[in-house]
C-alpha cells in the first residue's frame, strides 16, 4: 500500500509541471478539422488548405466578407467584359503595387504562366483544370494588362476568371520550361503533349512534394509567409514586413494582413475543439454544435472572453425525390410527401432553431430575388392524405396502393443521407414517424459519402437529404435543374424539369438586368415549389465564437465565415 | 538461436506478402477512388465549376498517370455474358445499360446491337434538338424485363410517329432479336482473362521489391516519409502505455495473489470489469472533461503534441516538451487495457499457485513474496508473453480513437484519413507496417520464451 501512495504522490508532483500552454497576444489561433495535406495552390485537397493558401497567394478577384461583394485583388479593377458571337473577352489590368516576396512585380506573364500550369498535362492539376477549361487563350498587352479569351458565356465566368491563385513564374519555373508553349497549345491534344520532354520535366518538378510543403517555394503575393508546419498538428503563418497590400488606398480595407502570426491548429474531434476553446487555447471556432452553442450562450465567464455570432450561411438543405420512379412520377404524391416533412420541427429539434426556412434555393437574405409570396410547406397530414387520393393512391390495410402500368405498387420510401450527419439522420427519423402516422412505410439508411454520390448519380434512390453551398452573387441553376443534366450520371439527380423550366433556366443565365432576372428566378421558385421534386427546407445559421480581444472580424455567411487576416487587436 | 530467428523471419515473409496482396486487392474494392472523390465531384455549389465532360477528361488523365486505368491483377474472372462486351467507347449511360442487359440476356452481340440503336437514335434526336422525344427515349434506359422492354420499345416507336423511321424500325427489330436470342445462363459461366504484366499489382509489387512503397495520392510525398512521421508519435504513445500497463497489471496481479490482497480482490476485480466495459472514446472524453477543462481541473493541455516555439530542440527536450500532452492519452490507453491484462495475469498465477511445487515451496517455509515472484511468476510467464505479443496490433486499433480525440497525428488517424480519401499507397503501407510489427512481436515473443523457459531452447535447436 505504501508503494501505491508514493506513486500517487509522484503523480500529483508531476501534475505541477503540466498546465495550459502559454499564449502570445499577437497570434490568432484557428481550428482546422484535418491536416491540409498540401498547400500546393493548384492541387489543394480541402477547405482548410484553401483557407491557408488564401493567405499566402492571391487571385485576381476576391470577395470582401465585410459586404459580401466581389472586388479586385491582384487586379486593379473588375474586368471589362466584351461578349462576341461564340467567345467572351475579359480584360484585366493588374495593380501597379502588386509584387512577389522578392520585390519583383506581379505581371501578366505570371497570369499566363499560372494558366499554363493549370492546363499542362501530367501536372497534378486535375482538381482545378475543369474549372478553367472555358479559358481558351490569353492575350498579353503590356506587362500589366491582358485579355482572357473564353468560350461561350455563363454568368459565373466573371467570378471564375478571377478565382485561381496567381503563381510566381520566377520561383516555380526558373528554367522557363513552360515559356515556349502558348496557352492555346496546351489546351490541345493532351496525349501528344504528354510526350513532350520539357513538359514532363516541368510536371515532375512541380508535382514534387516540395511544392506542397516547402516554405521557400510557397511564396506568393499574399500578406503572409509559411513559418512552420508540423504535420497533423499545426501550421503557423508569419506576417510579411512592409507588404504591398498596405499601400493600396481604399483597397487596403479588404487586402489585409493584420495579425502578426496566424496559427492553424489541427483538431479532428468537435468536443476536443470546443474544450480547447473553453481553455482559451483557440481564438476562433466555427460550426459549433447547436446544443453546445446554446450552452456557451449561458456561460457568463465564457461570454466575457468570447463573442458569439450566428450569420445566415449559404448552406442550403433540401430533400430530393426521384421523379423517374413510377411511384413518384405524379407531382401530387411528391407534394403529399412535402406536407409530411415538417421543416419547422426539424429546425427546432435538429438545429435548436439555428436555421431560416426557405421556399426555394434562392437564399431568403437575397431579398431582390427571393420569392416572398410563396407559401412554405408545413406539416399537414390531412392535406397529404387528400393529395395522395388525388394522385390515385388507395388506402388499404398495409398502406397506400396504386396500379401503375398494370402493376400494383405500394407507396414506400427509402430515405438516404450521408452517414455521420446527425442532423440528416434525425430529420429522416422524424419524417419516418410522420409518414408512418398516415401509413407510408419509410426506411432510413445512412450511407458513406462516395457511395451516396454514386447512388444519386445513377438515380438508384427514392428520397435523399442533402445540402448545397450557395452564394449571393451567381445563380446558375442549370446543372441542378435542367433536363439536359438529367441523364444517368448527370447532376440533376431528381429528374426535375420540363420545357418551361428549361427555358427559364436558360433565360436566367442571359438576363440583361436584375429586374428581369428577379422575375425569372421567382417564376423558377414557383415551378420548383409546385413540382416538389426538390423540397426546400432551410438555410443554416453559422455558429461562430471569436475571442473578444479582436475587432474587425468580418463575420459573414460566406466561407470561411470570418476573415482572419483582417483581425485587429483591441486597444 | 540466430539461425532459428532467421528461419522464422524467412518463414514470415510469405505471410507478409499474402497480407499485403490481400489488402492491395481488397482496398480496390472500396466504392469510389481518390480521383473520383476529388475530381469528378460536383462542386455542390450554385454554379458549375467546369463541365462534366472536362472533369471526366481530367479524371481519366489522373487514372492514367497513377496507373489506375490498368487491370488490377494478372488475370480477371468475369461472367461470360459480360466479358465480351465492347464497352470502352460508349458513353456512360449506354455503358450501364449494356452491362445491365448483358447480365439479363447473356447474348452480348444482340445486346450491343440494341444499345447501339438507342444510342444512334438519341444522337439523331440531339441533332434535331427534339426534347420531347428525347424524354421518351429516357424510359428505354430503365427497362430490362423482356415483356416490359418490348412494350416500351413499341410505345416509344409509336410515340415518335414519323421521326427517323429507319432508326425506329431498326430499334424494333433489334429489340425483337434480343428477346428471341437470349441466353441467360451465360451470366453464370465464368470467363478468365489474362492481362500479362501490365497490371496495377505487378507495378506495385516490383516497386515494393525495390523498397519503394510509392507516393501518396494526396500530397505526393513518399509513403515511407509519411509513415516515418506518423509512427513517431504512435510509438511513443504505444510503448509508454504498454510498458505502464504491463507493469501495473503485473504488480496488481501479484498484489491480488498475496494474502494481504485478498480483501481487495472483491473491490478491485469488479471495478476492473466495470472499467473494461467503458468505450474508449467515452473514457477519453471523460478524462478530457475532468482534467483539461476550466469547469473542473484544468491540469493538462487539451490537444496536440505542443506548439511552435521557434527554438531548436534536442530529442530529450522534445520528449519533455511533449510529455504533458501525452499524459491523458497514455492514462486512457492504460485504463482501457489494464482490466483484461490484470485479470489474465491474476488467473494464470492463481492456477499455478495450486500446483504441487508451490505447496512444497510453502511447506519449505519460503516467504510469500519470494514464492510469488520466483516460483509462480516465472512459470506464469509463458502465457503472459503470448498475451503481450498479441497486444501491439490491438493497441494500434485502440489508438485510432485516442489519436482522433486528443488530436495526435499518429498511425491510427493516418489510417482513417487514408481510407476516407482512398489513398491506396498510404493505406497499404500502414497495413504492411502493422503486419510487420505483428511478425516482429512474434519473433520477440519466441526469443523471450526461450529466456523464460530453458527447456524450449532444446526443441528450438
Amino acid at each position: 500500500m505504501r508503494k501505491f501512495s508514493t506513486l500517487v504522490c509522484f503523480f500529483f508532483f508531476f501534475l505541477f509541471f503540466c498546465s495550459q500552454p502559454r499564449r502570445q497576444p499577437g497570434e490568432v489561433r484557428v481550428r482546422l478539422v484535418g491536416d491540409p495535406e498540401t498547400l500546393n495552390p493548384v492541387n489543394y485537397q480541402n477547405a482548410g488548405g484553401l483557407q491557408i493558401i488564401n493567405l499566402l497567394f492571391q487571385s485576381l478577384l476576391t470577395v470582401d466578407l465585410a459586404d459580401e461583394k466581389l472586388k479586385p485583388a491582384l487586379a486593379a479593377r473588375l474586368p471589362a467584359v466584351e461578349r462576341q458571337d461564340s467567345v467572351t473577352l475579359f480584360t484585366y489590368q493588374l495593380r501597379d503595387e502588386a509584387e512577389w516576396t522578392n520585390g519583383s512585380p506581379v505581371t501578366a506573364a505570371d497570369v499566363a504562366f499560372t494558366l499554363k500550369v493549370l492546363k499542362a498535362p501530367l501536372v497534378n492539376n486535375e482538381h482545378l483544370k475543369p474549372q478553367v477549361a472555358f479559358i481558351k487563350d490569353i492575350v498579353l498587352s503590356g506587362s500589366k494588362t491582358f485579355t482572357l479569351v473564353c468560350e461561350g458565356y455563363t454568368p459565373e465566368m466573371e467570378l471564375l476568371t478571377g478565382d485561381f491563385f496567381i503563381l510566381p513564374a520566377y520561383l516555380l519555373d526558373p528554367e522557363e520550361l513552360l515559356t515556349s508553349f502558348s496557352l492555346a497549345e496546351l489546351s490541345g491534344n493532351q496525349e501528344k503533349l504528354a510526350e513532350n520532354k520539357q513538359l514532363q520535366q516541368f510536371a515532375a518538378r512541380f508535382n514534387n512534394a516540395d511544392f506542397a510543403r516547402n516554405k521557400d517555394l510557397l511564396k506568393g503575393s499574399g500578406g503572409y509567409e509559411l513559418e512552420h508546419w508540423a504535420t497533423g498538428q499545426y501550421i503557423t503563418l508569419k506576417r510579411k514586413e512592409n507588404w504591398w497590400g498596405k499601400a493600396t488606398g481604399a483597397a487596403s480595407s479588404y487586402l489585409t494582413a493584420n495579425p502578426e502570426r496566424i496559427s492553424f491548429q489541427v483538431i479532428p474531434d468537435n468536443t476536443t475543439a470546443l474544450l480547447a476553446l473553453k481553455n482559451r487555447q483557440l481564438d476562433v471556432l466555427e460550426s459549433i454544435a447547436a446544443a453546445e452553442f446554446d450552452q456557451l450562450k449561458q456561460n457568463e465567464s465564457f461570454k466575457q472572453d468570447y463573442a458569439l455570432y450566428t450569420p445566415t450561411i449559404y448552406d442550403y438543405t433540401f430533400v430530393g425525390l426521384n421523379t423517374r420512379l413510377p411511384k413518384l412520377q405524379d407531382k401530387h404524391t411528391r407534394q403529399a410527401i412535402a406536407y409530411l416533412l415538417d421543416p419547422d420541427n426539424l429546425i427546432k429539434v435538429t438545429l435548436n432553431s439555428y436555421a431560416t426556412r426557405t421556399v426555394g434555393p434562392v437564399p431568403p437574405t437575397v431579398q431582390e430575388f427571393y420569392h416572398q409570396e410563396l407559401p412554405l410547406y408545413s406539416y399537414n397530414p390531412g392535406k397529404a392524405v387528400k393529395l395522395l387520393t388525388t394522385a390515385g393512391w388507395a388506402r388499404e390495410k398495409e398502406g397506400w396502393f396504386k396500379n401503375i402500368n398494370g402493376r400494383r405498387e405500394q407507396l414506400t420510401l427509402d430515405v438516404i443521407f450521408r452517414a455521420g450527419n446527425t442532423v440528416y439522420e434525425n430529420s429522416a427519423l422524424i419524417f419516418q414517424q410522420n409518414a408512418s402516422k398516415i401509413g407510408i412505410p419509410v426506411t432510413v439508411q445512412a450511407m458513406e459519402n462516395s457511395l451516396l454520390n454514386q447512388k444519386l448519380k445513377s438515380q438508384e434512390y427514392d428520397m435523399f437529404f442533402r445540402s448545397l453551398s450557395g452564394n449571393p452573387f451567381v445563380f446558375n441553376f442549370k446543372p441542378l435543374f435542367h433536363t439536359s443534366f438529367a441523364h444517368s450520371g448527370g447532376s440533376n439527380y431528381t429528374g426535375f424539369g420540363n420545357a418551361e423550366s428549361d427555358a427559364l433556366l436558360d433565360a436566367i443565365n442571359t438576363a440583361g438586368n436584375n429586374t428581369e432576372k428577379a422575375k425569372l428566378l421567382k417564376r423558377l421558385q414557383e415551378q420548383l415549389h409546385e413540382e416538389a421534386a426538390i423540397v426546400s427546407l432551410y438555410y443554416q445559421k453559422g455558429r461562430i465564437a471569436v475571442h473578444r480581444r479582436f475587432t474587425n472580424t468580418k463575420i459573414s455567411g460566406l466561407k470561411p465565415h470570418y476573415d482572419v487576416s483582417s483581425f485587429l487587436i483591441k486597444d | 538461436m540466430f539461425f532459428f530467428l532467421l528461419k522464422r523471419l524467412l518463414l514470415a515473409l510469405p505471410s507478409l506478402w499474402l497480407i499485403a496482396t490481400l489488402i492491395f486487392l481488397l482496398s480496390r474494392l472500396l466504392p469510389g477512388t481518390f480521383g473520383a472523390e476529388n475530381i469528378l465531384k460536383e462542386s455542390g455549389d450554385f454554379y458549375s465549376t467546369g463541365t462534366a465532360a472536362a472533369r471526366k477528361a481530367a479524371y481519366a488523365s489522373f487514372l492514367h498517370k497513377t496507373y489506375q486505368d490498368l487491370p488490377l491483377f494478372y488475370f480477371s474472372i468475369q461472367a461470360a455474358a459480360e466479358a465480351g462486351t465492347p464497352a470502352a467507347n460508349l458513353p456512360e449511360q449506354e455503358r450501364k445499360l449494356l452491362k445491365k442487359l448483358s447480365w439479363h440476356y447473356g447474348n452480348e452481340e444482340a445486346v450491343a446491337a440494341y444499345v447501339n440503336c438507342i444510342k444512334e437514335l438519341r444522337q439523331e434526336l440531339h441533332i434535331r434538338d427534339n426534347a420531347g422525344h428525347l424524354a421518351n427515349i429516357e424510359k428505354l434506359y430503365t427497362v430490362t424485363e423482356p415483356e416490359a422492354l418490348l412494350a416500351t420499345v413499341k410505345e416509344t416507336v409509336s410515340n415518335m410517329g414519323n421521326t427517323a423511321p429507319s432508326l425506329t424500325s431498326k430499334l424494333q427489330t433489334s429489340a425483337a432479336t434480343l428477346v428471341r436470342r437470349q441466353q441467360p445462363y451465360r451470366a453464370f459461366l465464368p470467363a478468365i482473362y489474362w492481362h500479362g504484366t501490365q497490371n496495377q499489382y505487378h507495378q506495385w509489387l516490383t516497386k515494393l521489391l525495390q523498397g519503394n512503397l510509392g507516393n501518396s495520392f494526396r500530397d505526393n510525398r513518399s509513403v515511407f516519409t509519411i509513415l516515418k512521421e506518423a509512427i513517431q508519435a504512435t510509438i511513443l504513445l504505444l510503448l509508454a502505455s504498454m510498458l505502464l500497463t504491463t507493469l501495473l497489471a503485473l504488480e496488481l496481479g501479484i498484489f491480488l495473489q498475496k494474502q494481504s490482497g485478498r480483501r481487495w480482490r472483491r473491490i478491485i476485480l469488479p471495478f476492473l470489469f466495470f472499467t473494461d466495459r467503458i468505450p474508449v472514446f467515452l473514457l477519453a472524453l471523460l478524462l478530457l472533461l475532468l482534467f483539461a477543462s476550466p469547469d473542473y481541473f484544468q491540469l493538462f493541455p487539451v490537444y496536440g503534441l505542443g506548439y511552435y516555439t521557434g527554438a531548436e530542440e534536442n530529442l530529450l527536450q522534445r520528449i519533455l516538451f511533449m510529455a504533458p500532452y501525452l499524459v491523458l492519452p497514455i492514462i486512457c490507453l492504460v485504463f482501457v487495457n489494464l482490466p483484461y491484462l490484470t485479470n489474465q495475469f491474476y488467473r494464470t498465477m492463481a492456477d499455478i499457485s495450486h500446483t504441487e511445487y508451490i505447496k512444497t515451496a510453502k511447506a519449505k517455509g519460503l516467504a510469500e513474496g519470494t514464492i510469488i515472484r520466483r516460483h509462480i511468476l516465472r512459470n506464469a510467464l509463458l502465457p503472459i508473453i503470448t498475451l503481450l505479443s498479441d497486444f501491439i496490433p490491438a493497441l494500434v486499433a485502440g489508438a485510432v480513437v485516442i489519436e482522433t480525440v486528443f488530436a495526435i497525428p499518429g498511425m491510427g488517424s493516418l489510417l482513417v484519413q487514408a481510407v476516407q480519401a482512398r489513398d491506396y499507397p498510404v493505406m497499404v503501407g500502414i497495413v504492411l507496417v502493422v503486419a510487420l510489427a505483428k511478425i516482429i512481436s512474434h519473433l520477440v515473443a519466441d526469443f523471450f520464451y526461450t529466456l523464460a523457459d530453458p527447456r524450449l531452447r532444446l526443441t528450438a535447436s
Side-chain angles (χ1 to χ4, degrees):
Chain A
M1 225 40 245
R2 199 163 45 93
K3 229 189 287 173
F4 185 67
S5 42
T6 340
L7 209 71
V8 171
C9 285
F10 176 76
F11 183 66
F12 278 101
F13 181 70
F14 183 67
L15 291 187
F16 281 109
F17 293 97
C18 310
S19 60
Q20 298 301 321
R22 279 160 291 131
R23 299 285 320 271
Q24 293 160 314
E27 177 202 62
V28 189
R29 272 201 196 166
V30 180
R31 177 235 186 164
L32 288 183
V33 182
D35 193 64
E37 288 155 20
T38 162
L39 292 181
N40 185 322
V42 297
N43 188 32
Y44 53 86
Q45 307 288 340
N46 50 36
L50 180 62
Q51 196 186 351
I52 296 172
I53 298 168
N54 245 319
L55 296 164
L56 306 174
F57 291 85
Q58 288 172 302
S59 314
L60 294 170
L61 305 176
T62 185
V63 176
D64 183 2
L65 293 188
D67 54 9
E68 302 189 349
K69 293 237 159 59
L70 201 60
K71 291 182 183 173
L74 277 176
R77 58 194 81 91
L78 293 179
V81 187
E82 188 190 332
R83 281 176 67 181
Q84 295 177 350
D85 300 337
S86 60
V87 293
T88 313
L89 306 177
F90 291 85
T91 306
Y92 279 95
Q93 163 91 38
L94 291 170
R95 277 184 203 279
D96 287 330
E97 309 89 341
E99 59 180 33
W100 299 114
T101 315
N102 73 346
S104 62
V106 178
T107 63
D110 288 314
V111 180
F113 167 73
T114 306
L115 282 168
K116 285 179 202 171
V117 175
L118 287 173
K119 283 179 177 277
L122 303 172
V123 174
N124 285 341
N125 54 10
E126 288 89 358
H127 175 53
L128 288 179
K129 198 183 220 167
Q131 198 170 314
V132 293
F134 68 95
I135 302 177
K136 289 297 162 195
D137 205 355
I138 180 169
V139 182
L140 307 189
S141 34
S143 71
K144 290 272 181 186
T145 319
F146 60 93
T147 303
L148 298 173
V149 184
C150 304
E151 196 178 25
Y153 176 78
T154 53
E156 62 263 35
M157 268 188 187
E158 181 176 355
L159 179 70
L160 290 179
T161 53
D163 191 27
F164 47 86
F165 296 109
I166 306 300
L167 310 172
Y170 81 91
L171 201 59
L172 305 188
D173 189 17
E175 288 147 15
E176 305 198 339
L177 293 168
L178 288 188
T179 317
S180 58
F181 295 90
S182 77
L183 189 62
E185 265 177 310
L186 287 176
S187 307
N189 185 344
Q190 298 282 305
E191 264 173 51
K192 217 171 143 195
L193 283 168
E195 286 162 17
N196 185 301
K197 283 272 172 312
Q198 235 169 305
L199 289 177
Q200 284 174 356
Q201 204 185 333
F202 177 79
R205 229 175 79 84
F206 192 81
N207 291 344
N208 190 293
D210 260 358
F211 284 90
R213 346 180 23 105
N214 189 332
K215 59 182 177 187
D216 295 322
L217 288 172
L218 292 171
K219 283 188 168 170
S221 58
Y224 287 88
E225 284 180 280
L226 185 61
E227 189 181 23
H228 189 73
W229 181 354
T231 313
Q233 297 183 55
Y234 55 83
I235 291 179
T236 51
L237 305 184
K238 197 175 65 189
R239 187 177 62 196
K240 280 183 192 167
E241 297 303 322
N242 305 320
W243 178 54
W244 63 269
K246 295 234 153 105
T248 47
S252 62
S253 75
Y254 62 90
L255 295 178
T256 46
N258 292 334
E260 194 184 311
R261 179 174 277 130
I262 302 173
S263 178
F264 292 88
Q265 309 281 318
V266 181
I267 311 175
D269 189 71
N270 285 332
T271 318
T272 317
L274 190 71
L275 209 56
L277 184 78
K278 282 184 181 168
N279 275 338
R280 281 47 171 181
Q281 293 298 314
L282 285 178
D283 294 313
V284 188
L285 184 64
E286 58 146 347
S287 314
I288 302 172
E292 273 149 356
F293 195 75
D294 275 346
Q295 273 177 16
L296 290 181
K297 268 183 167 172
Q298 311 294 328
N299 187 337
E300 286 307 320
S301 80
F302 178 81
K303 269 166 61 188
Q304 267 177 9
D305 282 349
Y306 287 86
L308 299 170
Y309 303 91
T310 54
T312 294
I313 56 177
Y314 297 95
D315 210 17
Y316 165 64
T317 306
F318 64 97
V319 163
L321 292 164
N322 191 352
T323 60
R324 298 174 196 81
L325 296 176
K327 62 181 174 189
L328 293 175
Q329 230 159 30
D330 193 318
K331 71 176 176 195
H332 297 105
T333 314
R334 303 195 296 264
Q335 285 168 355
I337 294 169
Y339 278 114
L340 292 173
L341 273 166
D342 199 3
D344 289 312
N345 193 24
L346 295 189
I347 292 175
K348 214 163 94 194
V349 175
T350 61
L351 288 166
N352 288 26
S353 304
Y354 289 110
T356 317
R357 287 215 48 192
T358 180
V359 289
V362 177
T365 42
V366 186
Q367 287 173 358
E368 197 181 3
F369 299 138
Y370 182 73
H371 200 316
Q372 257 104 6
E373 287 88 54
L374 272 181
L376 294 157
Y377 279 111
S378 51
Y379 182 57
N380 192 338
K383 219 165 182 173
V385 168
K386 224 178 267 171
L387 280 163
L388 285 179
T389 327
T390 320
W393 296 95
R395 177 88 197 246
E396 291 175 22
K397 209 174 160 194
E398 289 94 51
W400 294 83
F401 289 88
K402 180 179 170 182
N403 270 326
I404 306 169
N405 301 332
R407 218 193 261 183
R408 194 173 122 95
E409 284 225 32
Q410 188 186 1
L411 181 59
T412 58
L413 289 167
D414 185 22
V415 185
I416 58 174
F417 52 86
R418 202 182 78 216
N421 188 322
T422 46
V423 174
Y424 294 158
E425 190 178 343
N426 291 333
S427 303
L429 289 173
I430 291 172
F431 171 70
Q432 187 183 37
Q433 280 175 11
N434 291 345
S436 77
K437 276 181 201 151
I438 67 160
I440 304 174
V442 172
T443 49
V444 169
Q445 201 183 355
M447 245 174 227
E448 199 228 9
N449 206 18
S450 50
L451 193 62
L452 180 75
N453 286 338
Q454 262 181 27
K455 287 257 177 204
L456 295 182
K457 267 192 188 158
S458 56
Q459 302 160 359
E460 292 161 11
Y461 70 91
D462 295 350
M463 177 173 168
F464 65 84
F465 279 86
R466 193 166 181 251
S467 62
L468 289 173
S469 58
N471 66 71
F473 22 77
V474 184
F475 297 107
N476 178 7
F477 293 121
K478 222 174 143 178
L480 291 175
F481 305 135
H482 199 279
T483 51
S484 61
F485 290 87
H487 55 82
S488 170
S491 51
N492 181 352
Y493 299 148
T494 60
F496 163 85
N498 49 43
E500 195 204 336
S501 68
D502 282 358
L504 266 175
L505 288 162
D506 286 329
I508 289 167
N509 284 356
T510 49
N513 56 51
N514 276 357
T515 340
E516 192 193 335
K517 200 169 171 182
K519 214 176 110 193
L520 294 165
L521 274 170
K522 283 184 182 172
R523 178 68 198 127
L524 178 71
Q525 290 171 67
E526 282 168 20
Q527 279 251 334
L528 285 167
H529 188 265
E530 168 77 16
E531 287 293 321
I534 287 116
V535 186
S536 302
L537 298 176
Y538 49 76
Y539 268 90
Q540 274 208 43
K541 281 184 181 158
R543 295 167 298 269
I544 306 170
V546 181
H547 200 280
R548 282 194 192 276
R549 74 172 189 279
F550 298 110
T551 56
N552 198 29
T553 48
K554 296 197 182 173
I555 298 293
S556 151
L558 282 167
K559 274 175 191 159
H561 308 308
Y562 52 85
D563 184 356
V564 67
S565 73
S566 74
F567 282 24
L568 284 170
I569 294 185
K570 260 186 213 166
D571 298 325
Chain B
M1 190 64 214
F2 173 74
F3 286 105
F4 168 70
L5 285 181
L6 195 71
K7 201 173 106 193
R8 288 295 307 259
L9 201 63
L10 285 176
L11 281 175
L13 282 180
S15 52
L16 201 60
W17 165 79
L18 196 69
I19 293 171
T21 302
L22 278 178
I23 291 300
F24 179 87
L25 295 175
L26 284 175
S27 63
R28 265 40 175 205
L29 292 180
L30 285 169
T33 61
F34 174 73
E37 284 296 284
N38 275 275
I39 303 162
L40 282 185
K41 193 173 63 184
E42 314 288 331
S43 59
D45 217 328
F46 278 7
Y47 56 86
S48 66
T49 48
T51 60
R55 266 198 296 267
K56 212 169 269 178
Y59 179 50
S61 81
F62 169 76
L63 287 186
H64 185 69
K65 206 165 64 186
T66 49
Y67 303 112
Q68 287 189 84
D69 57 342
L70 295 176
L72 192 56
F73 202 58
Y74 294 100
F75 61 88
S76 58
I77 304 172
Q78 280 177 308
E82 201 190 355
T85 46
N89 49 2
L90 280 176
E92 189 178 337
Q93 206 178 355
E94 272 84 12
R95 203 159 51 206
K96 277 195 180 139
L97 180 68
L98 191 82
K99 206 169 169 182
K100 238 176 0 189
L101 291 176
S102 299
W103 277 96
H104 215 276
Y105 292 92
N107 183 341
E108 59 265 25
E109 268 170 47
V111 172
Y114 170 69
V115 173
N116 247 332
C117 280
I118 301 182
K119 191 184 106 188
E120 278 170 22
L121 196 58
R122 190 165 71 113
Q123 279 165 351
E124 179 64 25
L125 291 175
H126 254 301
I127 295 168
R128 296 189 193 187
D129 207 14
N130 194 329
H133 287 333
L134 267 175
N136 249 327
I137 291 198
E138 280 295 318
K139 257 187 224 157
L140 289 176
Y141 287 95
T142 55
V143 283
T144 47
E145 297 291 331
E147 288 152 39
L149 187 132
L150 285 179
T152 321
V153 167
K154 205 171 155 192
E155 192 193 323
T156 315
V157 170
S158 70
N159 272 345
M160 298 207 357
N162 246 345
T163 342
S166 65
L167 286 176
T168 46
S169 70
K170 212 168 126 193
L171 176 70
Q172 244 175 336
T173 34
S174 68
T177 328
L178 175 66
V179 173
R180 203 177 54 240
R181 289 178 45 201
Q182 55 177 308
Q183 302 164 308
Y185 62 88
R186 295 195 64 220
F188 303 101
L189 294 182
I192 296 176
Y193 280 80
W194 182 251
H195 300 297
T197 54
Q198 276 299 309
N199 64 63
Q200 290 182 48
Y201 178 75
H202 186 81
Q203 300 269 356
W204 172 77
L205 195 67
T206 29
K207 268 194 197 160
L208 185 70
L209 289 177
Q210 292 159 5
N212 184 355
L213 281 169
N215 287 356
S216 158
F217 286 165
R218 288 177 295 170
D219 57 5
N220 218 28
R221 281 195 299 160
S222 85
V223 173
F224 188 72
T225 325
I226 297 178
L227 288 179
K228 207 173 81 185
E229 217 173 68
I231 219 165
Q232 287 175 358
T234 307
I235 279 200
L236 202 61
L237 189 67
L238 289 189
L239 282 187
S241 66
M242 196 172 152
L243 210 71
L244 211 63
T245 317
T246 315
L247 279 178
L248 272 176
L250 262 181
E251 285 301 320
L252 259 175
I254 291 171
F255 175 67
L256 292 177
Q257 194 60 46
K258 281 184 181 163
Q259 285 290 339
S260 52
R262 288 254 164 98
R263 279 182 300 138
W264 290 87
R265 224 178 283 167
R266 282 212 196 134
I267 306 165
I268 291 178
L269 281 180
F271 175 73
L272 287 179
F273 278 124
F274 174 71
T275 48
D276 200 23
R277 291 297 104 210
I278 304 177
V280 190
F281 77 95
L282 201 70
L283 188 68
L285 289 178
L286 213 70
L287 282 175
L288 264 183
L289 285 175
L290 281 177
F291 297 111
S293 142
D295 300 338
Y296 300 96
F297 307 100
Q298 202 174 348
L299 297 171
F300 298 100
V302 187
Y303 67 93
L305 283 178
Y307 52 95
Y308 182 54
T309 52
E312 281 291 313
E313 294 156 334
N314 60 32
L315 187 70
L316 185 71
Q317 275 171 325
R318 232 169 58 208
I319 289 179
L320 279 180
F321 186 62
M322 261 155 59
Y325 292 87
L326 285 173
V327 173
L328 287 183
I330 287 176
I331 292 181
C332 199
L333 271 178
V334 168
F335 253 101
V336 168
N337 295 304
L338 189 63
Y340 178 70
L341 269 192
T342 311
N343 204 22
Q344 288 295 328
F345 288 0
Y346 167 66
R347 295 280 164 218
T348 333
M349 285 195 278
D351 283 347
I352 291 170
S353 70
H354 298 303
T355 49
E356 301 285 327
Y357 56 88
I358 299 298
K359 280 182 193 153
T360 317
K362 276 183 192 159
K364 273 201 294 188
L366 286 181
E368 194 188 20
T370 327
I371 296 177
I372 292 177
R373 284 185 197 272
R374 293 193 95 175
H375 297 273
I376 298 185
L377 190 61
R378 177 130 200 185
N379 284 294
L381 269 181
L382 284 187
I384 288 175
I385 291 169
T386 318
L387 215 64
L388 288 179
S389 73
D390 275 341
F391 211 43
I392 290 179
L395 268 178
V396 173
V400 173
V401 178
I402 300 219
E403 280 169 5
T404 310
V405 172
F406 292 99
I408 294 171
M411 294 285 275
S413 47
L414 184 69
L415 180 63
V416 174
Q417 285 161 20
V419 172
Q420 274 170 353
R422 307 283 188 270
D423 194 346
Y424 300 132
V426 176
M427 225 189 305
V428 179
I430 296 174
V431 175
L432 265 179
V433 168
V434 175
L436 204 67
K438 176 100 187 163
I439 285 169
I440 290 178
S441 71
H442 276 291
L443 281 179
V444 173
D446 276 345
F447 177 69
F448 277 113
Y449 284 149
T450 51
L451 276 192
D453 191 343
R455 284 170 298 182
L456 287 175
R457 214 170 299 164
L458 295 171
T459 31
S461 56

